[in-house]
Amino acid sequence: MDGSGTSDGGDGGGSLRPMDAEQLRECGHRMVDFIADYYKSMETFPVLSQVQPGYLKELLPDSAPNRPDTLDALFDDIREKIIPGVTHWQSPSYFAYYPSNSSTAGFLGEMLSAAFNIVGFSWITSPAATELEVIVLDWFAKMLKLPSQFLSDAPGGGVIQGTASEAVLVVLLAARDRTLKKHGKKSLEKLVVYASDQTHSALQKACQVAGIFPENFRVVKADCSKNYAVAPEAVSEAISVDLSSGLIPFFICATVGTTSSSAVDPLPELGNIAQGHDMWFHIDAAYAGSACMCPEYRHHLDGVEKADSFNMNAHKWFLTNFDCSLLWVKDRSYLVEALSTNPEFLKNKASQANSVVDFKDWQIPLGRRFRSLKLWMVLRLYGVENLQSYIRKHIQLAEHFEQLVLSDSRFEVVTPRLFSLVCFRLLPPTSEYEGGRQLNYDLMDAANSSGKIFISHTVLAGKFVLRFAVGAPLTEEQHVDAAWKLLQDEATKLSGSA
C-alpha cells in the first residue's frame, strides 16, 4: 500500500483547493490505489486490532496543524498509526458479530453519493434521490416477495434508514402515536412493548427514547427447545396479565435471524396475536433478510403479510457498504404523522401539492444522504442471480464449518444452524463448575489474540457460546479451514490433550 505517485495536488505549499476537478482526479486516483492495495494486503494484518486503549493519543499531536500537510505524509500516518488500530471487517478471516459487506459496486455508489453530496430531505432538494429510493425499495420488496401493501403505489412504502436501530425507533414512535390517538395522550405510562430475550438491544434503546416506561418493556424468555425462538403462548400470557392490570399492549417485535443464534420467531402466530389486540407488529430481519431473497429461504418470512413494518440491512450481507438499512411500512401515514414537521423555510410547491414523497418525514434527522445510489448500483452491477449465489456460498461455507465442529468430539454445536452462523463451544470437563465459560472465553481470546481470525461470543441458556459468522466478501473455504485448525490447535493447548 504505497499510495505513491507524483503530484503537486495537496503536496505542500497549501496548494490543495477545496474542490478542484483536476486535483480531485489526481488525489482520488492515488486514494483508490491506496485502498486497492489495502484490500490486496489485508490478510497481512491482524484481523482484530491488537492495540491498547489510548494508543493513538501517544502517536498524534495534541492540536490540529496550522499549515497544510502533504498527501504523502497523510498516507504514511494512515499506514503507521491508523491501520494498526483498525479491526478489519472485510478480512476473509473475520467471523465475528455479523458481516458488514463492502463491494466494488457499493464502494462506487458511495463515491458517487459523496460526489453529489446532497442533503436530500425533500423531493425538491434532489428529485432523483427521492425517486430512485422509491424505485429500488420497490425492487427489493418484490425480490423478497413482500406483500403488495408495502409497495409505493399502495398505502405503504419503503425508505432507507441508517441502521436497524433507527428503523425500529421510527416505527415504535409511529405505533406509540397511533395508540395514544386511540386511548388518549395521558395513556403513555400504560403502553407495553413485547419482545423475546433474543431481540436486539436496539428495541430497548428505542423504548427509552420513545418514553416507554422501563417497567413496561416485556422481555419474554425464548424457548430453547424451539432453537431460541419465542413461544407465542408466552407472549399471549404476558399480554393477558397486562390487560388484567389495565395496561395497554401496543407493540410486538419479532426477529428473523436473532443476533445471538440467528433464530427465527414464529411470525404467523405472533402476527395473529398482534392483530387480535390491535397491536403494531414489527419484524426485524436485519441479518437474515438478505438470505430470504433465495427461494429456499423465503419461507422464513411467511407471516410477514401480518406485519405493520419490516426491516433488513443491505449493509450486512448484501454487498452494500454501510450504512443502508431498508424499512417498509404497510401504512406510511402513521410514520409521517409521527415524524412530520413543516417549517416555513422547507415549504415548496411540490410538497404543498402532496404530489411527492419527502423522506424527512419518515426518519429522525432532517438531512439524509443519497444512499439509494449504492443499493441501485449493487443491484445493477451484480444482478439478483449473482447476489443469490453469493448468499448461498456463505451458507455452504457455514455448513462446512458446522460439519468440521461435529467431527471433533471435543466440541459441540449448541443450536442448529439456519443461515451462515454456527454457534458452538468446546466441551468442558464434567467436573468443571463454571460449565465451560472460562474455557471457551480463553479459547476465543487465544484465537483472537493470534491476529489470524476474529470470532465473538454470546450466552445461550446459561452457556458461554462461540459464534462463527461467515459473510465477509472475500472468505473462501481455505479461510474457514484455517480458522478451524487454529481453534483446534488452541483447544489442544488449553486442554492439554491431543
Side-chain angles (χ1 to χ4, degrees):
M1 288 194 325
D2 58 11
S4 61
T6 58
S7 169
D8 60 359
D11 281 57
S15 60
L16 191 65
R17 293 178 285 281
M19 180 50 73
D20 176 272
E22 291 310 313
Q23 284 186 335
L24 174 65
R25 189 187 313 279
E26 186 161 356
C27 294
H29 282 160
R30 293 185 64 194
M31 180 59 82
V32 168
D33 285 342
F34 185 89
I35 293 168
D37 288 342
Y38 162 71
Y39 271 86
K40 284 180 72 173
S41 60
M42 189 181 294
E43 291 189 63
T44 66
F45 303 119
V47 185
L48 176 65
S49 172
Q50 304 293 307
V51 302
Q52 297 300 310
Y55 90 100
L56 195 55
K57 190 175 182 182
E58 304 299 317
L59 300 177
L60 294 182
D62 60 4
S63 58
N66 285 322
R67 303 288 300 160
D69 214 333
T70 66
L71 194 55
D72 284 329
L74 193 62
F75 279 133
D76 287 342
D77 274 357
I78 294 170
R79 270 191 296 268
E80 297 163 15
K81 300 169 184 176
I82 301 301
I83 285 179
V86 170
T87 289
H88 302 280
W89 284 66
Q90 304 310 307
S91 167
S93 297
Y94 181 98
F95 302 107
Y97 310 116
Y98 278 134
S100 178
N101 277 185
S102 194
S103 70
T104 301
F107 187 82
L108 293 174
E110 197 71 85
M111 284 177 69
L112 193 53
S113 176
F116 292 142
N117 201 28
I118 67 161
V119 186
F121 44 84
S122 299
W123 177 87
I124 196 173
T125 60
S126 275
T130 296
E131 296 195 13
L132 186 63
E133 188 160 334
V134 170
I135 290 165
V136 296
L137 268 290
D138 278 352
W139 282 6
F140 217 110
K142 291 171 184 175
M143 285 161 50
L144 290 171
K145 293 183 169 55
L146 296 184
S148 60
Q149 298 100 309
F150 285 116
L151 298 176
S152 62
D153 58 2
V159 59
I160 300 177
Q161 303 285 339
T163 64
S165 301
E166 294 169 53
V168 74
L169 173 58
V170 296
V171 297
L172 183 71
L173 292 171
R176 179 199 67 182
D177 286 7
R178 182 183 79 166
T179 307
L180 291 178
K181 198 171 183 180
K182 179 180 177 183
H183 293 276
K185 294 178 181 178
K186 294 182 179 178
S187 302
L188 182 62
E189 64 187 32
K190 296 181 179 181
L191 302 189
V192 189
V193 171
Y194 302 82
S196 148
D197 62 359
Q198 301 299 302
T199 302
H200 195 282
S201 58
L203 179 59
Q204 181 184 352
K205 182 177 280 192
C207 289
Q208 292 169 205
V209 175
I212 305 302
F213 282 33
E215 60 268 28
N216 289 352
F217 178 51
R218 297 282 175 271
V219 178
V220 181
K221 191 172 182 181
D223 189 341
C224 59
S225 71
K226 295 181 179 176
N227 300 331
Y228 300 95
V230 74
E233 316 82 66
V235 176
S236 285
E237 188 177 332
I239 290 173
S240 295
V241 170
D242 287 334
L243 285 170
S244 66
S245 302
L247 297 174
I248 304 171
F250 86 105
F251 192 93
I252 297 177
C253 182
T255 307
V256 176
T258 58
T259 303
S260 281
S261 66
S262 75
V264 176
D265 286 331
L267 306 185
E269 293 87 345
L270 294 175
N272 287 337
I273 293 169
Q275 288 179 348
H277 295 286
D278 193 25
M279 300 169 68
W280 188 288
F281 182 37
H282 176 65
I283 298 173
D284 172 13
Y287 159 64
S290 296
C292 295
M293 69 167 172
C294 299
E296 65 269 32
Y297 296 104
R298 173 56 180 77
H299 67 275
H300 292 297
L301 295 188
D302 289 351
V304 69
E305 64 277 2
K306 300 176 187 293
D308 295 280
S309 50
F310 174 85
N311 167 241
M312 60 83 61
N313 287 348
H315 62 241
K316 270 193 167 64
W317 198 13
F318 201 78
L319 290 175
T320 308
N321 294 41
F322 186 85
D323 54 347
C324 191
S325 186
L326 314 183
L327 170 67
W328 290 268
V329 289
K330 193 173 278 184
D331 187 340
R332 57 183 173 264
S333 68
Y334 294 117
L335 207 57
V336 173
E337 285 174 22
L339 300 171
S340 177
T341 56
N342 192 29
E344 187 62 38
F345 69 92
L346 293 182
K347 290 179 180 177
N348 62 83
K349 190 189 302 182
S351 296
Q352 299 304 102
N354 287 323
S355 59
V356 295
V357 173
D358 288 334
F359 278 127
K360 70 179 178 63
D361 299 328
W362 297 46
Q363 62 175 23
I364 301 299
L366 174 66
R368 58 201 327 270
R369 299 188 302 118
F370 199 164
R371 284 181 292 226
S372 57
L373 266 178
K374 57 188 172 185
L375 185 58
W376 183 55
M377 291 177 74
V378 165
L379 291 168
R380 289 281 304 276
L381 294 176
Y382 297 124
V384 174
E385 289 181 2
N386 283 331
L387 290 162
Q388 289 172 332
S389 296
Y390 174 77
I391 295 291
R392 289 178 179 127
K393 176 184 174 182
H394 285 149
I395 293 174
Q396 288 164 3
L397 289 175
E399 186 177 8
H400 173 61
F401 182 80
E402 181 183 37
Q403 293 305 314
L404 292 173
V405 175
L406 290 169
S407 70
D408 188 330
S409 60
R410 297 176 299 170
F411 290 84
E412 71 168 344
V413 172
V414 176
T415 186
R417 178 199 52 77
L418 282 180
F419 303 104
S420 68
L421 172 71
V422 180
C423 293
F424 70 106
R425 68 175 191 144
L426 181 59
L427 289 166
T430 52
S431 59
E432 187 184 302
Y433 72 94
E434 276 194 318
R437 183 181 185 89
Q438 191 63 47
L439 179 68
N440 281 278
Y441 178 86
D442 290 345
L443 176 58
M444 178 180 70
D445 188 52
N448 290 344
S449 297
S450 75
K452 294 176 181 176
I453 69 170
F454 182 26
I455 59 173
S456 55
H457 77 280
T458 190
V459 173
L460 292 170
K463 291 180 182 177
F464 188 94
V465 176
L466 305 180
R467 298 170 72 264
F468 190 90
V470 182
L474 298 172
T475 301
E476 301 288 347
E477 188 170 317
Q478 71 205 49
H479 301 105
V480 173
D481 289 341
W484 175 238
K485 185 178 186 308
L486 174 66
L487 288 163
Q488 283 186 306
D489 290 347
E490 295 298 342
T492 298
K493 291 178 192 175
L494 286 170
S495 62
S497 63

